[in-house]
Amino acid sequence: MKLFCTKNIFLLPVVLLLASCAKDDTIGTPEVEVLAEEYYSGGINGTVFNETSKCFEQPSPAISDLNAFLNGEAFFEGSFVSDSDVPFGGLGPVYIKTSCISCHPGYGRAQRVDDFSIDHGNGYIAFVHMPDGSIVPGFTVMLQTHAVAPFVPPAEGVDITWNQFVDEYGNKYPDGTPYNEGKAIEGTLIYPTAELINCIMDLPAEYKVSIEATIGIYGTGLLDAIADESIIDEYERQQAMDGVIKGQHGPWITESFDGKQHLGKFTWHCSRATLQNGPGYNALYSISNITREDRPNLYATTQWMEKQHELGIDTTGLHGPQKAELSYDDLLDFMVWHRGLAVPAARNLDDPDVQQGKNLFYEGKCAECHKPSWTTGDYEYIPEYSNQKIWPYTDLLMHDMGDENQGRFRTYRTPPLWGRGLMNKAANHTDMFHDLRARNFEEAILWHFGEAEDSREFFRNLAKEDRKALILFCASI
């Protein structure tokens, strides 16, 4: 990680140093200018003005314990090994990836791949499930495809096939322009299907395999700070609206750390309620199978252990609580880092074309699901995040995206749009959507079916320059 200019922003709650420090990585002679609040995507205390390849890696201005932040970051970036007696030890016996950063290069989302066996940069996790989305008994929720010898993983891998998709308009706009005009991929849309490779587990006849993309991690502390009551208010607003937009909130989940119910709002299906028991907190355990005081048992199923025994592999020692491979103090630091990742500021919002795109974003009702702003509630973990106006462009609700997007489910949480325009700089790709089928902003919009189909048609019927303006706005926020 390389830090840029964050201290300056912290000291200036209303004004911004327009030193272009993020563009040339230096702090020049400052000019002072009042910016519209929309530039502060993560609020005053959660935004950094950084447009470099490190834009997703910065601590927010609210972070005061930088040592804890950096120590926590080391566990995100480190590659784990099987020897439990060395630093970053404890990998396996069965696992998904050797490190967290493998799925989040540049601290964003990983990219679309053809080869699931790729460790670093592979943006997928796989699920073996029934038609109703429930996980097939014997498999962990996230499919494990690696094991430390002599153990054998449930499946050796996933075979991904990319299929062509042609919509009812022949992949053309009403003005005759093909989708992705002028690009090597002109006139095409693609989507993936997946199958298991050399699975050793018992499978029901109706099983399915789906892949989903990893999700960006910057700004998740700010989303955690949004009060459940505010999300319910948004849910009720949508239920009262005319039209097809009817977002569904996540389940109420009783968290073991406080015994209270919290509303599901993290992951594509709102299956996690709080960062304290969220995707990152659990991934540090489950992805590499690193045990710790509050996760003492291996992330493996009884059926998988029985299968190892059937194969003649000694399973002595796999059952029951294991030695802690990550200390509680290191876990606390990891969460300081996780919550503390800032959001890069919006860019070029005063550009006339961006402003035109913004008008179209609202006119096309994109904002009905991509709710532009929230005011956070009280946040005990980082008090400076409390009562901040932030601009994530998500309603934190799930929407039906149609048969065209059927995977494990066909409903997905509206993903935040903040910082998306910087993905190519940070992670060297522009892949997005729930399974990374969209290779750019244009395709992401064109894959909006189900509840979002009216907005898709609004976009398709725009003039070419207006389509460009709407995409330009999405890349600026």
Side-chain angles (χ1 to χ4, degrees):
M1 182 196 71
K2 188 176 181 181
L3 306 180
F4 297 95
C5 306
T6 55
K7 297 293 185 184
N8 299 304
I9 302 304
F10 179 60
L11 296 172
L12 293 172
V14 180
V15 298
L16 163 70
L17 293 177
L18 283 181
S20 300
C21 57
K23 291 183 177 179
D24 61 11
D25 299 355
T26 62
I27 300 176
T29 302
E31 300 173 30
V32 178
E33 181 176 307
V34 176
L35 289 182
E37 61 181 9
E38 291 168 83
Y39 276 95
Y40 296 84
S41 303
I44 295 295
N45 291 330
T47 301
V48 291
F49 285 75
N50 188 312
E51 299 177 27
T52 73
S53 62
K54 305 295 185 182
C55 59
F56 298 153
E57 304 181 18
Q58 305 304 306
S60 74
I63 293 299
S64 57
D65 190 348
L66 195 56
N67 288 332
F69 181 91
L70 294 174
N71 186 50
E73 182 179 54
F75 288 93
F76 168 76
E77 293 191 344
S79 291
F80 288 91
V81 296
S82 57
D83 187 343
S84 60
D85 295 323
V86 301
F88 299 99
L91 178 71
V94 62
Y95 62 96
I96 299 168
K97 293 287 181 69
T98 58
S99 70
C100 302
I101 200 171
S102 293
C103 293
H104 302 280
Y107 293 43
R109 292 166 294 110
Q111 65 186 115
R112 179 173 48 85
V113 296
D114 299 324
D115 183 356
F116 191 83
S117 69
I118 295 172
D119 186 75
H120 186 81
N122 172 3
Y124 292 121
I125 51 178
F127 305 88
V128 183
H129 61 90
M130 303 297 285
D132 67 358
S134 61
I135 297 298
V136 170
F139 290 86
T140 48
V141 174
M142 296 180 290
L143 176 67
Q144 298 160 313
T145 55
H146 300 280
V148 177
F151 300 104
V152 179
E156 288 184 5
V158 175
D159 184 25
I160 300 173
T161 300
W162 286 96
N163 309 279
Q164 296 292 323
F165 177 82
V166 180
D167 70 8
E168 61 183 306
Y169 309 108
N171 290 354
K172 291 182 179 180
Y173 294 101
D175 61 9
T177 305
Y179 302 160
N180 287 311
E181 182 186 28
K183 301 172 184 170
I185 55 175
E186 181 176 288
T188 66
L189 294 172
I190 58 173
Y191 68 96
T193 51
E195 286 294 338
L196 296 176
I197 298 173
N198 294 335
C199 179
I200 65 169
M201 306 298 291
D202 298 327
L203 291 166
E206 62 271 34
Y207 86 96
K208 296 180 179 299
V209 182
S210 295
I211 53 177
E212 289 186 358
T214 55
I215 297 175
I217 43 182
Y218 58 90
T220 47
L222 291 154
L223 299 180
D224 200 31
I226 296 173
D228 292 344
E229 294 77 11
S230 298
I231 300 172
I232 292 297
D233 287 346
E234 173 61 19
Y235 163 77
E236 291 178 346
R237 184 191 73 83
Q238 292 190 14
Q239 304 313 303
M241 291 192 316
D242 294 331
V244 298
I245 302 297
K246 305 289 181 187
Q248 299 298 311
H249 64 71
W252 287 99
I253 299 170
T254 302
E255 298 284 33
S256 59
F257 65 84
D258 66 0
K260 298 178 181 177
Q261 284 201 322
H262 301 265
L263 192 65
K265 60 184 172 185
F266 291 112
T267 78
W268 283 108
H269 310 294
C270 293
S271 58
R272 295 286 181 183
T274 65
L275 279 194
Q276 192 59 26
N277 187 24
Y281 188 89
N282 283 284
L284 189 59
Y285 156 71
S286 57
I287 293 294
S288 302
N289 223 332
I290 304 301
T291 53
R292 61 192 195 221
E293 186 176 331
D294 68 338
R295 300 285 189 277
N297 296 310
L298 292 173
Y299 185 66
T301 65
T302 300
Q303 296 92 326
W304 175 78
M305 294 185 189
E306 291 172 349
K307 187 63 69 173
Q308 303 303 297
H309 184 71
E310 290 176 20
L311 294 171
I313 299 170
D314 183 6
T315 58
T316 303
L318 296 187
H319 303 274
Q322 309 288 308
K323 180 181 72 173
E325 296 161 333
L326 181 75
S327 74
Y328 182 67
D329 287 343
D330 287 337
L331 178 62
L332 290 178
D333 288 348
F334 176 80
M335 292 307 296
V336 170
W337 166 83
H338 192 2
R339 292 190 175 94
L341 284 173
V343 182
R347 302 153 306 284
N348 308 315
L349 296 183
D350 297 329
D351 181 287
D353 290 334
V354 173
Q355 291 184 340
Q356 171 65 1
K358 177 183 177 180
N359 293 334
L360 295 167
F361 186 85
Y362 283 85
E363 186 179 345
K365 298 185 177 180
C366 308
E368 293 295 343
C369 300
H370 288 285
K371 175 179 165 56
S373 66
W374 293 84
T375 298
T376 58
D378 293 331
Y379 195 56
E380 63 176 296
Y381 300 102
I382 302 179
E384 292 84 354
Y385 279 1
S386 302
N387 306 309
Q388 294 271 292
K389 189 168 186 179
I390 62 175
W391 297 79
Y393 291 86
T394 171
D395 58 5
L396 297 174
L397 301 175
M398 296 175 285
H399 294 272
D400 186 339
M401 298 299 286
D403 289 337
E404 296 83 352
N405 286 292
Q406 177 74 54
R408 184 181 171 200
F409 302 105
R410 53 184 273 172
T411 56
Y412 299 91
R413 188 196 72 164
T414 308
L417 297 182
W418 54 11
R420 285 294 177 94
L422 294 169
M423 277 298 299
N424 202 31
K425 279 188 176 180
N428 199 33
H429 71 88
T430 57
D431 300 332
M432 59 187 91
F433 233 57
H434 57 90
D435 56 11
L436 301 173
R437 63 180 61 193
R439 294 165 287 190
N440 49 50
F441 276 109
E442 179 184 2
E443 290 191 9
I445 297 170
L446 291 169
W447 276 109
H448 276 63
F449 291 96
E451 290 182 42
E453 191 151 358
D454 287 349
S455 293
R456 179 186 197 265
E457 287 308 299
F458 174 83
F459 175 76
R460 288 187 67 260
N461 282 279
L462 291 175
K464 185 183 300 186
E465 293 307 312
D466 285 339
R467 293 197 298 268
K468 290 180 179 178
L470 199 157
I471 289 172
L472 193 61
F473 172 69
C474 293
S476 298
I477 55 181

